[in-house]
Amino acid sequence: DADVTQTPRNRITKTGKRIMLECSQTKGHDRMYWYRQDPGLGLRLIYYSFDVKDINKGEISDGYSVSRQAQAKFSLSLESAIPNQTALYFCATSDRGQGVGELFFGEGSRLTVL
Amino acid sequence: KQEVTQIPAALSVPEGENLVLNCSFTDSAIYNLQWFRQDPGKGLTSLLLIQSSQREQTSGRLNASLDKSSGRSTLYIAASQPGDSATYLCAVDLYNFNKFYFGSGTKLNVKP
């Protein structure tokens, strides 16, 4: 089983719908991240969390919210999806504070908003 | 804000060539720099991580170097193979923030 698991892997939805992307990890890391990838733009940080009570906005947080339900779980929500939120979304964890600060990624969630 | 740039954006080489991918960053107060490989539509696979105090790291045919003073890192791939075809991304972790900033990647095509 993957150390960082994202569900769903693929999702097609309509404009205005609420969507939740879930991430769970078995690595025991405190630090978790949500990134968005668009063609030609690299990865951009949406939200990050250093522990259950510490959640921070990234560079593109508008239109998104997150929940850190436990050390191992970090969910990303789109309250009212719009077409320009169509992208590949990645969850990641970091072992900084426990190791050398390596970043580990899930397989990604491809979201299409029609 | 940290700006990370990767040059070239795309590269096509014949099999067997040695090649260099470049990554530059604007803020030298980094904690580490990590190189990733991404196959189309897939997740990111970590290749090498260079800590701030290190100058280079090696894994098999891959060698990554770091020069903080000039804000540059290079990924050297020796004896390239068609299986190396992928997009390569670098990510920089700022020392005080633990936020990773990514370049937009170099898309590599190794022709048989």
Side-chain angles (χ1 to χ4, degrees), chain B residues 35-91:
Chain B
W35 283 92
F36 294 89
R37 169 188 172 134
Q38 184 178 28
D39 293 292
K42 303 291 187 180
L44 280 73
T45 301
S46 180
L47 297 174
L48 290 165
L49 180 146
I50 310 177
Q51 295 180 65
S52 177
S53 59
Q54 298 174 322
R55 296 283 292 183
E56 65 179 326
Q57 282 286 340
T58 298
S59 176
R61 295 183 292 108
L62 306 179
N63 175 275
S65 67
L66 174 65
D67 183 345
K68 283 196 307 179
S69 63
S70 66
R72 301 171 84 171
S73 175
T74 61
L75 179 66
Y76 176 82
I77 302 177
S80 59
Q81 303 170 358
D84 294 330
S85 297
T87 296
Y88 291 79
L89 297 106
C90 69

Side-chain angles (χ1 to χ4, degrees), chain A residues 6-89:
Chain A
Q6 293 183 230
T7 56
R9 294 291 313 281
N10 289 284
R11 182 73 183 268
I12 300 173
T13 191
K14 295 181 179 180
T15 297
K17 295 291 188 181
R18 183 177 188 275
I19 295 297
M20 178 181 285
L21 306 179
E22 298 184 326
C23 177
S24 63
Q25 52 115 347
T26 58
K27 300 191 77 67
H29 295 162
D30 291 327
R31 305 184 181 207
M32 298 187 72
Y33 306 80
W34 275 104
Y35 283 91
R36 165 179 173 159
Q37 186 177 36
D38 298 276
L41 292 180
L43 276 76
R44 293 181 291 166
L45 183 61
I46 307 172
Y47 271 94
Y48 59 107
S49 171
F50 288 171
D51 66 34
V52 175
K53 297 180 180 179
D54 183 5
I55 294 177
N56 305 280
K57 293 181 178 181
E59 58 181 315
I60 56 164
S61 60
D62 287 348
Y64 302 94
S65 62
V66 291
S67 173
R68 184 82 183 265
Q69 301 95 323
Q71 186 208 37
K73 296 184 181 296
F74 192 35
S75 300
L76 176 72
S77 294
L78 289 68
E79 296 302 326
S80 180
I82 56 177
N84 76 1
Q85 291 177 314
T86 293
L88 187 54
Y89 291 85

